Amino acid sequence: MKLYAVSDGPPSLAVRMTLKALNIQYQLINVDFCALEHRTEDYAKMNPQKEIPVLDDDGFYLSESIAIMQYLCDKYAPDSSLYPQEVNQRALINQRLCFNMGFYYAPISAHSMAPIFFDYERTPMSLKKVQNALEVFETYLERLGTKYAAGDNLTIADFGLISATLCLEAIDFDLQQYPSVAKWYNTFKEEYPQLWEIANSGMQEISAFEQNPPDLSQMEHPFHPTRKTKA
């Protein structure tokens, strides 16, 4: 098994935490995002979307971090509490996974990650979208009243949400106004230090880039505007 991943990419980190939690042995292959290795034709043979990560399980290629996490649990740990078979539990986990990708991680990434690497600005509107996402997550946690995002047990939904939230920590965003989110985030760090080690490695890279953004002025990205160096 091989995982093509980027070291500071939240979707890649979520999959890596899943592999670690399931104790699955695999080869980690770093994809150089800045060198656009994921935009090559060879990479497109594995994933026509040319996005990261991609799982290669003995010639079976699978992209999209949610699908990869679900696949790993279904194939290698069908009885795992990370992705239980019970219909209502699984439905809630699936909802949280979808919530993260479409409603939570998307505005967080646009506000935190995009301005680091490309010619985007953090604006009052981008901040408002992050605050809205956090308010909804806060409500979910309050209403459910459990330790983790989809119950008292850790699930793959938490891996996606943790990977998104660490982007905010990397830019020194204060979670104090969202006490349930802050408690959930810190509980994960305390209870699963080996998994947090994976997440933290990415967070530290993002934090370093926040302080010293990479020079990607020579990159010709197909849909992100590159920031030109000042004369």
Side-chain angles (χ1 to χ4, degrees), residues 1-29 43 47 51-57 60-73 76 82 97 100-101 105 154-164 166 188 194-196 198-199 201-202:
M1 183 182 292
K2 300 175 183 178
L3 179 68
Y4 294 81
V6 61
S7 57
D8 61 354
S12 295
L13 296 171
V15 173
R16 287 176 58 197
M17 283 190 280
T18 303
L19 287 160
K20 178 69 173 180
L22 296 176
N23 197 30
I24 297 174
Q25 300 300 310
Y26 69 101
Q27 179 184 357
L28 179 62
I29 299 176
Y43 192 89
N47 180 12
E51 295 177 331
I52 313 167
V54 171
L55 183 76
D56 174 5
D57 189 6
F60 174 67
Y61 295 103
L62 190 63
S63 61
E64 296 291 345
S65 59
I66 292 175
I68 295 171
M69 291 189 290
Q70 292 168 331
Y71 166 79
L72 291 170
C73 290
Y76 293 101
L82 286 175
L97 288 165
N100 177 62
M101 189 56 67
Y105 173 58
L154 186 73
T155 71
I156 59 173
D158 294 289
F159 296 153
L161 290 158
I162 288 289
S163 298
L166 65 83
F188 175 81
Q194 289 186 322
L195 299 180
W196 172 245
I198 293 171
S201 66

Coordinates of all heavy atoms in Angstrom, one line a residue, residues 1-29 43 47 51-57 60-73 76 82 97 100-101 105 154-164 166 188 194-196 198-199 201-202:
M1 N 0.8 -1.2 0.0 CA 0.0 0.0 0.0 C 0.9 1.2 0.0 O 1.9 1.3 0.7 CB -0.9 0.0 1.2 CG -1.9 1.2 1.3 SD -2.9 1.2 2.7 CE -4.0 -0.2 2.4
K2 N 0.5 2.2 -0.8 CA 1.2 3.5 -0.9 C 0.2 4.6 -0.7 O -1.0 4.6 -1.2 CB 1.9 3.7 -2.3 CG 2.9 2.6 -2.6 CD 3.5 2.8 -4.0 CE 4.5 1.6 -4.3 NZ 5.0 1.8 -5.7
L3 N 0.6 5.7 0.0 CA -0.2 6.9 0.1 C 0.6 8.0 -0.5 O 1.7 8.4 0.0 CB -0.6 7.2 1.5 CG -1.4 8.5 1.7 CD1 -2.8 8.3 1.1 CD2 -1.5 8.8 3.2
Y4 N 0.1 8.7 -1.5 CA 0.7 9.9 -2.1 C 0.1 11.0 -1.4 O -1.1 11.3 -1.5 CB 0.4 9.9 -3.6 CG 1.1 8.8 -4.4 CD1 0.5 7.6 -4.5 CD2 2.3 9.1 -5.1 CE1 1.2 6.6 -5.2 CE2 2.9 8.1 -5.8 CZ 2.3 6.8 -5.9 OH 3.0 5.8 -6.6
A5 N 0.9 11.8 -0.6 CA 0.4 12.8 0.3 C 1.3 14.0 0.3 O 2.4 14.0 -0.2 CB 0.3 12.2 1.7
V6 N 0.7 15.1 0.8 CA 1.5 16.3 1.0 C 1.6 16.5 2.5 O 0.7 16.3 3.2 CB 0.9 17.5 0.3 CG1 -0.5 17.8 0.8 CG2 1.8 18.8 0.4
S7 N 2.8 16.9 3.0 CA 3.1 16.8 4.4 C 2.3 17.7 5.2 O 2.1 17.5 6.4 CB 4.6 17.1 4.6 OG 5.0 18.3 4.1
D8 N 1.8 18.9 4.7 CA 1.1 19.8 5.5 C -0.4 19.9 5.0 O -1.1 20.8 5.4 CB 1.7 21.2 5.5 CG 1.8 21.8 4.1 OD1 1.5 21.1 3.1 OD2 2.2 23.0 3.9
G9 N -0.8 19.0 4.1 CA -2.2 19.0 3.6 C -3.2 18.4 4.6 O -3.0 17.2 4.9
P10 N -4.2 19.1 5.0 CA -5.2 18.5 5.9 C -5.8 17.3 5.5 O -5.9 16.3 6.3 CB -6.2 19.7 6.1 CG -5.3 20.9 6.0 CD -4.3 20.6 4.9
P11 N -6.3 17.1 4.2 CA -6.8 15.8 3.8 C -5.8 14.7 3.9 O -6.2 13.6 4.3 CB -7.2 16.1 2.3 CG -7.5 17.6 2.3 CD -6.4 18.2 3.2
S12 N -4.6 15.0 3.6 CA -3.5 14.0 3.7 C -3.3 13.6 5.1 O -3.1 12.4 5.5 CB -2.2 14.5 3.1 OG -2.3 14.7 1.7
L13 N -3.3 14.6 6.0 CA -3.1 14.3 7.4 C -4.2 13.4 8.0 O -4.0 12.5 8.8 CB -3.0 15.6 8.2 CG -1.8 16.5 7.9 CD1 -2.0 17.9 8.5 CD2 -0.5 15.8 8.3
A14 N -5.5 13.7 7.6 CA -6.6 12.9 8.0 C -6.5 11.4 7.6 O -6.7 10.5 8.4 CB -7.9 13.5 7.5
V15 N -6.0 11.2 6.4 CA -5.8 9.8 6.0 C -4.7 9.2 6.7 O -4.8 8.0 7.1 CB -5.6 9.8 4.5 CG1 -5.2 8.3 4.0 CG2 -6.8 10.2 3.7
R16 N -3.6 9.9 6.9 CA -2.5 9.3 7.7 C -2.9 9.0 9.1 O -2.4 8.0 9.7 CB -1.3 10.3 7.7 CG -0.6 10.5 6.3 CD 0.5 11.5 6.4 NE 1.5 11.2 7.4 CZ 2.3 12.2 7.9 NH1 2.3 13.4 7.4 NH2 3.2 11.8 8.8
M17 N -3.7 9.8 9.7 CA -4.2 9.5 11.1 C -5.0 8.2 11.1 O -5.0 7.4 12.0 CB -5.0 10.6 11.7 CG -4.1 11.8 12.2 SD -4.9 13.0 13.2 CE -5.7 14.0 11.8
T18 N -5.8 8.0 10.0 CA -6.7 6.8 9.9 C -5.8 5.6 9.8 O -6.0 4.6 10.5 CB -7.6 6.9 8.7 OG1 -8.4 8.1 8.8 CG2 -8.5 5.7 8.6
L19 N -4.8 5.7 8.9 CA -3.8 4.5 8.8 C -3.1 4.2 10.1 O -3.0 3.0 10.4 CB -2.8 4.9 7.7 CG -3.3 4.9 6.2 CD1 -2.4 5.7 5.3 CD2 -3.5 3.4 5.7
K20 N -2.7 5.2 10.8 CA -2.1 5.0 12.1 C -3.0 4.4 13.1 O -2.7 3.4 13.8 CB -1.6 6.4 12.6 CG -0.9 6.3 14.0 CD 0.4 5.5 13.9 CE 1.1 5.6 15.3 NZ 2.4 4.9 15.3
A21 N -4.2 4.9 13.2 CA -5.2 4.4 14.1 C -5.6 2.9 13.8 O -5.8 2.2 14.8 CB -6.5 5.2 14.1
L22 N -5.6 2.6 12.6 CA -5.9 1.2 12.2 C -4.6 0.3 12.1 O -4.8 -0.9 11.8 CB -6.6 1.2 10.8 CG -7.9 1.9 10.7 CD1 -8.4 1.9 9.3 CD2 -8.9 1.2 11.7
N23 N -3.5 0.9 12.4 CA -2.2 0.1 12.4 C -2.0 -0.6 11.1 O -1.5 -1.7 11.0 CB -2.2 -0.9 13.6 CG -0.8 -1.4 13.9 OD1 0.2 -0.7 13.7 ND2 -0.7 -2.7 14.4
I24 N -2.2 0.1 10.0 CA -2.0 -0.4 8.7 C -0.6 0.1 8.2 O -0.3 1.3 8.2 CB -3.0 0.1 7.7 CG1 -4.4 -0.4 8.1 CG2 -2.7 -0.3 6.3 CD1 -5.6 0.1 7.3
Q25 N 0.2 -0.8 7.7 CA 1.5 -0.5 7.2 C 1.4 0.0 5.8 O 0.7 -0.6 5.0 CB 2.5 -1.7 7.3 CG 2.7 -2.3 8.7 CD 3.3 -1.3 9.6 OE1 4.3 -0.7 9.3 NE2 2.7 -1.1 10.8
Y26 N 2.2 1.0 5.5 CA 2.1 1.6 4.1 C 3.3 2.4 3.8 O 4.1 2.7 4.7 CB 0.9 2.5 4.0 CG 0.9 3.8 4.8 CD1 1.2 5.0 4.2 CD2 0.7 3.8 6.2 CE1 1.3 6.2 4.9 CE2 0.8 4.9 6.9 CZ 1.1 6.1 6.3 OH 1.2 7.3 7.0
Q27 N 3.5 2.7 2.6 CA 4.6 3.5 2.1 C 4.1 5.0 1.9 O 3.2 5.2 1.1 CB 5.3 3.0 0.9 CG 6.5 3.9 0.4 CD 7.0 3.4 -1.0 OE1 6.6 2.3 -1.5 NE2 8.0 4.1 -1.5
L28 N 4.7 5.9 2.6 CA 4.3 7.3 2.4 C 5.2 8.0 1.4 O 6.4 8.0 1.5 CB 4.5 8.1 3.8 CG 4.1 9.5 3.8 CD1 2.6 9.8 3.4 CD2 4.4 10.2 5.1
I29 N 4.5 8.4 0.3 CA 5.2 9.1 -0.8 C 4.8 10.6 -0.8 O 3.7 10.9 -1.0 CB 4.9 8.4 -2.1 CG1 5.3 7.0 -2.1 CG2 5.5 9.2 -3.3 CD1 4.9 6.2 -3.4
Y43 N 0.8 11.6 -12.7 CA -0.1 11.7 -11.5 C -1.6 11.6 -11.9 O -2.4 10.9 -11.2 CB 0.2 13.0 -10.7 CG -0.5 13.0 -9.3 CD1 0.3 12.5 -8.2 CD2 -1.7 13.5 -9.1 CE1 -0.3 12.5 -7.0 CE2 -2.3 13.5 -7.9 CZ -1.6 13.0 -6.8 OH -2.2 13.0 -5.5
N47 N -5.1 9.9 -10.5 CA -6.2 10.7 -10.1 C -6.4 11.8 -11.2 O -5.7 12.8 -11.1 CB -5.9 11.4 -8.7 CG -7.1 12.2 -8.3 OD1 -8.1 12.2 -8.9 ND2 -6.8 13.0 -7.2
E51 N -5.4 16.0 -7.6 CA -5.5 16.5 -6.3 C -4.8 15.4 -5.3 O -4.6 14.3 -5.7 CB -6.9 16.7 -5.8 CG -7.6 17.9 -6.6 CD -9.0 18.1 -6.2 OE1 -9.7 17.1 -5.8 OE2 -9.5 19.2 -6.4
I52 N -4.5 15.9 -4.1 CA -3.8 15.1 -3.1 C -4.7 14.9 -1.9 O -5.4 15.9 -1.5 CB -2.5 15.8 -2.7 CG1 -1.7 16.3 -3.9 CG2 -1.6 14.9 -1.8 CD1 -0.6 17.3 -3.6
P53 N -4.8 13.7 -1.3 CA -4.0 12.5 -1.5 C -4.6 11.5 -2.5 O -5.7 11.7 -2.9 CB -4.0 11.9 -0.1 CG -5.4 12.3 0.4 CD -5.7 13.6 -0.1
V54 N -3.8 10.5 -2.8 CA -4.2 9.3 -3.5 C -3.7 8.1 -2.8 O -2.5 8.0 -2.4 CB -3.7 9.4 -5.0 CG1 -4.0 8.0 -5.7 CG2 -4.3 10.5 -5.8
L55 N -4.6 7.1 -2.7 CA -4.2 5.8 -2.1 C -4.0 4.8 -3.3 O -4.8 4.7 -4.2 CB -5.2 5.3 -1.2 CG -4.9 4.0 -0.4 CD1 -3.9 4.2 0.7 CD2 -6.2 3.3 0.1
D56 N -2.9 4.1 -3.2 CA -2.6 3.0 -4.1 C -2.6 1.7 -3.3 O -1.6 1.4 -2.6 CB -1.3 3.2 -4.9 CG -0.9 2.0 -5.7 OD1 -1.7 1.0 -5.8 OD2 0.2 2.0 -6.3
D57 N -3.7 0.9 -3.3 CA -3.7 -0.3 -2.6 C -3.6 -1.5 -3.6 O -4.6 -2.0 -4.1 CB -5.1 -0.4 -1.8 CG -5.1 -1.6 -0.9 OD1 -4.1 -2.2 -0.7 OD2 -6.2 -1.9 -0.3
F60 N -5.1 -0.6 -6.8 CA -6.4 0.0 -6.7 C -6.2 1.5 -6.3 O -5.8 1.7 -5.2 CB -7.3 -0.7 -5.8 CG -8.6 -0.1 -5.5 CD1 -9.6 0.0 -6.5 CD2 -8.9 0.5 -4.3 CE1 -10.8 0.6 -6.3 CE2 -10.1 1.1 -4.0 CZ -11.1 1.2 -5.0
Y61 N -6.5 2.4 -7.2 CA -6.3 3.8 -6.9 C -7.5 4.5 -6.4 O -8.6 4.3 -7.0 CB -5.7 4.5 -8.1 CG -4.4 4.1 -8.6 CD1 -4.3 3.2 -9.7 CD2 -3.2 4.4 -7.9 CE1 -3.0 2.8 -10.1 CE2 -2.0 4.0 -8.3 CZ -1.9 3.2 -9.4 OH -0.7 2.7 -9.8
L62 N -7.4 5.2 -5.3 CA -8.6 5.9 -4.8 C -8.1 7.3 -4.3 O -7.2 7.5 -3.6 CB -9.1 5.1 -3.6 CG -10.5 5.5 -3.0 CD1 -11.6 5.4 -4.0 CD2 -10.8 4.7 -1.7
S63 N -8.9 8.3 -4.7 CA -8.7 9.6 -4.3 C -9.9 10.1 -3.4 O -10.8 9.3 -3.1 CB -8.6 10.6 -5.5 OG -9.8 10.6 -6.3
E64 N -9.8 11.3 -2.9 CA -10.8 11.9 -2.0 C -10.6 11.3 -0.6 O -10.8 10.1 -0.4 CB -12.2 11.8 -2.5 CG -12.5 12.5 -3.8 CD -12.5 14.0 -3.6 OE1 -12.5 14.5 -2.5 OE2 -12.5 14.7 -4.7
S65 N -10.1 12.2 0.3 CA -9.8 11.7 1.7 C -10.9 11.0 2.4 O -10.7 10.0 3.1 CB -9.3 12.9 2.5 OG -10.2 13.9 2.6
I66 N -12.1 11.5 2.2 CA -13.3 10.8 2.9 C -13.4 9.4 2.3 O -13.6 8.5 3.1 CB -14.6 11.6 2.6 CG1 -14.5 13.0 3.4 CG2 -15.8 10.8 3.1 CD1 -15.7 13.9 3.1
A67 N -13.4 9.3 1.0 CA -13.6 7.9 0.4 C -12.4 7.0 0.9 O -12.7 5.8 1.1 CB -13.6 8.0 -1.1
I68 N -11.2 7.5 1.0 CA -10.1 6.7 1.4 C -10.3 6.2 2.8 O -10.1 5.1 3.1 CB -8.8 7.5 1.2 CG1 -8.5 7.8 -0.2 CG2 -7.6 6.7 1.8 CD1 -7.3 8.8 -0.4
M69 N -10.7 7.1 3.7 CA -10.9 6.8 5.1 C -12.0 5.7 5.3 O -11.8 4.7 6.0 CB -11.2 8.0 6.0 CG -10.0 8.9 6.1 SD -10.3 10.3 7.4 CE -11.5 11.3 6.5
Q70 N -13.0 5.9 4.6 CA -14.1 4.9 4.6 C -13.7 3.6 4.1 O -14.0 2.5 4.6 CB -15.3 5.5 3.8 CG -16.0 6.7 4.4 CD -17.0 7.4 3.5 OE1 -16.8 7.4 2.3 NE2 -18.0 8.0 4.0
Y71 N -13.0 3.6 3.0 CA -12.5 2.4 2.3 C -11.6 1.6 3.3 O -11.7 0.4 3.5 CB -11.8 2.7 1.0 CG -10.9 1.6 0.5 CD1 -11.5 0.6 -0.3 CD2 -9.5 1.6 0.6 CE1 -10.7 -0.5 -0.8 CE2 -8.8 0.6 0.1 CZ -9.4 -0.5 -0.6 OH -8.6 -1.5 -1.1
L72 N -10.6 2.3 3.9 CA -9.7 1.7 4.8 C -10.4 1.0 6.0 O -10.1 -0.2 6.3 CB -8.7 2.7 5.4 CG -7.7 3.2 4.3 CD1 -6.9 4.4 4.9 CD2 -6.7 2.1 3.9
C73 N -11.4 1.6 6.5 CA -12.2 1.0 7.6 C -13.0 -0.2 7.1 O -13.0 -1.2 7.8 CB -13.1 2.1 8.3 SG -12.2 3.3 9.2
Y76 N -10.3 -3.1 6.0 CA -9.3 -3.6 6.9 C -9.8 -3.6 8.4 O -9.1 -4.3 9.2 CB -8.0 -2.8 6.8 CG -7.4 -2.9 5.4 CD1 -7.5 -2.0 4.4 CD2 -6.6 -4.1 5.1 CE1 -6.9 -2.1 3.2 CE2 -6.1 -4.3 3.9 CZ -6.2 -3.3 2.9 OH -5.6 -3.5 1.7
L82 N -14.1 3.3 14.8 CA -13.8 4.5 14.0 C -14.8 4.8 12.9 O -15.0 5.9 12.5 CB -12.4 4.4 13.3 CG -11.2 4.5 14.2 CD1 -9.9 4.3 13.4 CD2 -11.1 5.9 14.8
L97 N -18.5 14.2 8.2 CA -17.5 14.2 7.1 C -17.9 15.1 6.0 O -17.0 15.9 5.5 CB -17.3 12.8 6.5 CG -16.6 11.7 7.4 CD1 -16.8 10.3 6.9 CD2 -15.1 12.0 7.5
N100 N -17.6 18.7 7.2 CA -16.3 19.2 7.3 C -15.8 19.6 5.9 O -15.3 20.8 5.7 CB -15.3 18.2 7.8 CG -13.9 18.6 7.8 OD1 -13.5 19.6 8.4 ND2 -13.1 17.9 7.0
M101 N -16.0 18.8 4.9 CA -15.4 19.1 3.6 C -16.1 20.3 2.9 O -15.4 21.1 2.3 CB -15.5 17.8 2.7 CG -14.7 17.9 1.4 SD -13.0 18.3 1.6 CE -12.4 16.8 2.4
Y105 N -14.1 22.9 6.5 CA -12.8 23.1 6.0 C -12.6 24.1 4.8 O -11.6 24.8 4.7 CB -12.2 21.7 5.5 CG -10.9 21.7 4.8 CD1 -9.8 22.3 5.5 CD2 -10.7 21.3 3.5 CE1 -8.5 22.3 4.9 CE2 -9.5 21.3 2.9 CZ -8.4 21.8 3.6 OH -7.2 21.9 3.0
L154 N -13.9 8.3 19.4 CA -13.2 8.9 18.2 C -13.7 8.2 16.9 O -13.8 6.9 16.9 CB -11.7 8.7 18.4 CG -10.8 9.4 17.4 CD1 -10.9 10.9 17.6 CD2 -9.4 8.9 17.5
T155 N -13.9 8.9 15.9 CA -14.2 8.4 14.6 C -13.4 9.1 13.5 O -12.8 10.1 13.7 CB -15.7 8.5 14.3 OG1 -16.0 9.9 14.0 CG2 -16.6 8.0 15.4
I156 N -13.5 8.6 12.3 CA -12.8 9.2 11.2 C -13.4 10.6 10.9 O -12.6 11.4 10.3 CB -12.9 8.4 9.9 CG1 -14.4 8.1 9.5 CG2 -12.2 7.0 10.0 CD1 -14.5 7.4 8.1
A157 N -14.6 10.9 11.4 CA -15.1 12.3 11.2 C -14.2 13.3 12.0 O -13.9 14.4 11.5 CB -16.5 12.4 11.7
D158 N -13.7 12.8 13.1 CA -12.8 13.7 13.9 C -11.5 14.0 13.2 O -10.9 15.1 13.3 CB -12.5 13.1 15.3 CG -13.8 13.0 16.1 OD1 -14.2 14.1 16.6 OD2 -14.3 11.9 16.3
F159 N -11.0 13.0 12.5 CA -9.7 13.2 11.8 C -9.8 14.3 10.7 O -8.9 15.2 10.6 CB -9.3 11.9 11.1 CG -9.0 10.8 12.0 CD1 -9.1 9.5 11.6 CD2 -8.6 11.0 13.3 CE1 -8.8 8.4 12.5 CE2 -8.3 10.0 14.2 CZ -8.4 8.7 13.8
G160 N -10.9 14.4 10.0 CA -11.1 15.5 9.0 C -11.2 16.8 9.7 O -10.6 17.8 9.3
L161 N -12.0 16.8 10.8 CA -12.3 18.1 11.5 C -11.0 18.6 12.2 O -10.8 19.8 12.3 CB -13.4 17.9 12.5 CG -14.8 17.7 11.8 CD1 -15.8 17.0 12.7 CD2 -15.4 19.1 11.3
I162 N -10.3 17.7 12.8 CA -9.0 18.1 13.5 C -8.1 18.7 12.4 O -7.4 19.7 12.7 CB -8.4 16.8 14.2 CG1 -9.1 16.4 15.4 CG2 -6.9 17.1 14.5 CD1 -9.0 17.4 16.6
S163 N -8.0 18.0 11.3 CA -7.1 18.5 10.2 C -7.4 19.9 9.7 O -6.5 20.6 9.3 CB -7.0 17.5 9.1 OG -6.5 16.2 9.5
A164 N -8.7 20.2 9.7 CA -9.1 21.5 9.4 C -8.8 22.5 10.5 O -8.3 23.6 10.2 CB -10.6 21.5 9.0
L166 N -6.6 22.5 12.8 CA -5.2 22.9 13.0 C -4.7 24.0 12.2 O -3.8 24.7 12.5 CB -4.4 21.6 12.9 CG -4.2 20.9 11.5 CD1 -3.2 21.6 10.6 CD2 -3.9 19.4 11.7
F188 N -8.7 15.7 22.1 CA -8.1 14.9 21.1 C -6.5 14.9 21.3 O -5.9 13.8 21.3 CB -8.4 15.3 19.7 CG -7.6 14.6 18.6 CD1 -8.1 13.3 18.2 CD2 -6.5 15.1 18.0 CE1 -7.4 12.6 17.2 CE2 -5.8 14.4 17.0 CZ -6.2 13.2 16.6
Q194 N -0.2 10.1 19.9 CA 0.4 9.6 18.7 C -0.3 10.1 17.4 O 0.4 10.3 16.4 CB 0.5 8.1 18.7 CG 1.4 7.5 19.8 CD 1.5 6.0 19.7 OE1 0.5 5.3 19.4 NE2 2.7 5.5 19.9
L195 N -1.6 10.2 17.4 CA -2.3 10.7 16.3 C -2.1 12.2 16.1 O -1.9 12.7 15.0 CB -3.8 10.4 16.4 CG -4.1 8.9 16.4 CD1 -5.6 8.7 16.5 CD2 -3.6 8.2 15.2
W196 N -2.1 12.9 17.3 CA -1.8 14.3 17.2 C -0.4 14.6 16.7 O -0.2 15.7 16.0 CB -2.0 15.0 18.6 CG -1.5 16.4 18.6 CD1 -0.5 16.9 19.3 CD2 -2.1 17.5 17.8 NE1 -0.4 18.3 19.0 CE2 -1.3 18.7 18.1 CE3 -3.2 17.6 16.9 CZ2 -1.6 19.9 17.5 CZ3 -3.4 18.8 16.4 CH2 -2.7 20.0 16.7
I198 N 1.0 13.3 14.2 CA 0.9 13.4 12.8 C 0.3 14.7 12.4 O 0.8 15.5 11.6 CB 0.0 12.3 12.2 CG1 0.7 10.9 12.4 CG2 -0.3 12.5 10.8 CD1 -0.1 9.7 12.1
A199 N -0.8 15.1 13.1 CA -1.5 16.3 12.8 C -0.6 17.5 13.1 O -0.5 18.5 12.3 CB -2.8 16.4 13.6
S201 N 2.6 17.7 13.1 CA 3.7 17.9 12.1 C 3.3 18.8 11.0 O 4.0 19.7 10.5 CB 4.2 16.6 11.6 OG 3.2 15.9 10.8
G202 N 2.0 18.6 10.5 CA 1.5 19.5 9.4 C 1.2 20.9 9.9 O 1.5 21.8 9.2

